[in-house]
Amino acid sequence: MGKKRTERVPDASVVRALKNGDPHAMEELVRRYSNKVYNLAYHLTRDANAAEEIMQDVFLTVISKVDTLANDAFFSTWLYRVTTNAAYGFLRKERKFGDQTAIDEETEHEPSADYLHDWTKLPDSILLSEESRRILKESIDSLPEAMRTVVIMKDVEGLSNEEIAQALGLSVPAVKSRLHRGRLILRDMLSGYFRKYTLEGDHPA
Amino acid sequence: MKCLVCSSLFPDYMENCLSQDVIDELEHHFRFCEKCRVCFSTYRLTVMLSSKVEQPAAVSPESVERLTSLLIQRFFNGARGA
């Protein structure tokens, strides 16, 4: 594994080298994933100290148990699963775990009565203002936990549906359903918030 | 196409995972249904704003170094790679 990063070696090869006891491989995995693990933990817990502790615990866990990983190519999704579980553990301990109401995957979400309120022409100075970001962040945090986690993993962290499904032990359709419903709720919340600006009249694009 | 079906296709439409037939049907529906058109454009913008809502929280290089040292100590008897 003494290879420099001229081209990216697949995770599976690095994990295989780690299983063979190569310390370079462990360092490479830390280099590749420490930020991703930290970010996911931070965005799920909103706590920088917890995120750092979780990052450390996650790497201690996965490195110590790497021999149990059957498919080396699934290293990253395993890492995300351990991270999510650790974040849930922290939130439970802090009693910050949100609404655990079971989600009915099949129920369709009807767009709200705000559907004809088009706020897409508002200028970036409003769409991306401090206040707008705060409202959106609070809206994400107010989602039922099952939706919140998926929205953060997909729309904030940029993971794929397949990675999220494997990390959370869900089917891809279940991930998509939670994501879609969470997004529709956020859309409704933002529509309510931006209404005050669209009512004020036209804004230059 | 019914509005409820149209709305359920938003995620796959955004990810370009629909067949051309379904895309044509969806876009035809958008032309005649202002409700779905506005719902989709605000939905898409919501997703875009969500991707920008968080500043990337970077872990400090010191933390990464501390973590690496801990792992080397714990699992490799302190022997670092060259």
Side-chain angles (χ1 to χ4, degrees), chain B residues 6-38:
Chain B
C6 173
S7 161
S8 71
L9 295 172
F10 289 174
D12 286 337
Y13 182 53
M14 280 184 62
E15 293 196 21
N16 213 9
C17 295
L18 297 174
S19 69
Q20 193 54 50
D21 285 358
V22 178
I23 292 174
D24 291 344
E25 210 181 324
L26 188 71
E27 291 180 347
H28 177 78
H29 181 84
F30 281 153
R31 274 199 289 283
F32 296 98
C33 180
E34 188 185 3
K35 168 185 150 178
C36 285
R37 198 167 59 240
V38 170

Side-chain angles (χ1 to χ4, degrees), chain A residues 40 74-85 88 149 153 159-171 175:
Chain A
L40 180 58
F74 287 160
F75 178 79
S76 64
T77 52
W78 182 42
L79 200 65
Y80 296 136
R81 181 195 283 262
V82 177
T83 306
T84 310
N85 286 341
Y88 283 170
T149 304
M153 293 178 93
L159 303 183
S160 70
N161 294 332
E162 289 72 20
E163 284 176 313
I164 299 168
Q166 284 169 17
L168 299 181
L170 296 169
S171 66
V175 167

Side-chain angles (χ1 to χ4, degrees), chain A residues 89-108:
Chain A
F90 171 82
L91 292 171
R92 268 192 213 100
K93 209 166 59 188
E94 298 289 307
R95 299 176 194 279
K96 287 182 186 168
F97 221 34
D99 179 9
Q100 291 302 294
T101 311
I103 303 241
D104 178 358
E105 310 289 357
E106 300 306 320
T107 310
E108 298 290 351

Side-chain angles (χ1 to χ4, degrees), chain A residues 31-181:
Chain A
R31 204 163 24 241
R32 285 184 187 185
Y33 287 106
S34 52
N35 244 330
K36 289 180 180 171
V37 168
Y38 179 84
N39 266 283
L40 180 58
Y42 177 74
H43 291 143
L44 288 172
T45 63
R46 303 264 183 239
D47 186 312
N49 291 331
E52 198 157 328
E53 262 182 54
I54 287 169
M55 178 184 73
Q56 181 172 307
D57 290 348
V58 165
F59 277 98
L60 282 169
T61 301
V62 297
I63 302 294
S64 68
K65 294 185 176 170
V66 72
D67 286 332
T68 66
L69 182 63
N71 187 336
D72 295 346
F74 287 160
F75 178 79
S76 64
T77 52
W78 182 42
L79 200 65
Y80 296 136
R81 181 195 283 262
V82 177
T83 306
T84 310
N85 286 341
Y88 283 170
F90 171 82
L91 292 171
R92 268 192 213 100
K93 209 166 59 188
E94 298 289 307
R95 299 176 194 279
K96 287 182 186 168
F97 221 34
D99 179 9
Q100 291 302 294
T101 311
I103 303 241
D104 178 358
E105 310 289 357
E106 300 306 320
T107 310
E108 298 290 351
H109 180 99
E110 186 90 53
S112 79
D114 248 344
Y115 51 72
L116 280 180
H117 165 219
D118 187 356
W119 42 270
T120 58
K121 302 288 187 296
L122 287 171
D124 281 359
S125 57
I126 291 174
L127 292 172
L128 297 169
S129 71
E130 276 297 310
E131 189 180 59
S132 303
R133 294 158 83 107
R134 182 176 53 76
I135 295 289
L136 179 53
K137 208 185 276 195
E138 288 171 4
S139 301
I140 291 172
D141 283 346
S142 73
L143 289 174
E145 196 58 45
M147 291 183 198
R148 176 178 173 264
T149 304
V150 172
V151 167
I152 288 176
M153 293 178 93
K154 174 76 176 182
D155 291 341
V156 178
E157 297 298 325
L159 303 183
S160 70
N161 294 332
E162 289 72 20
E163 284 176 313
I164 299 168
Q166 284 169 17
L168 299 181
L170 296 169
S171 66
V172 170
V175 167
K176 284 169 136 181
S177 167
R178 291 178 187 198
L179 179 67
H180 183 49
R181 298 174 68 195

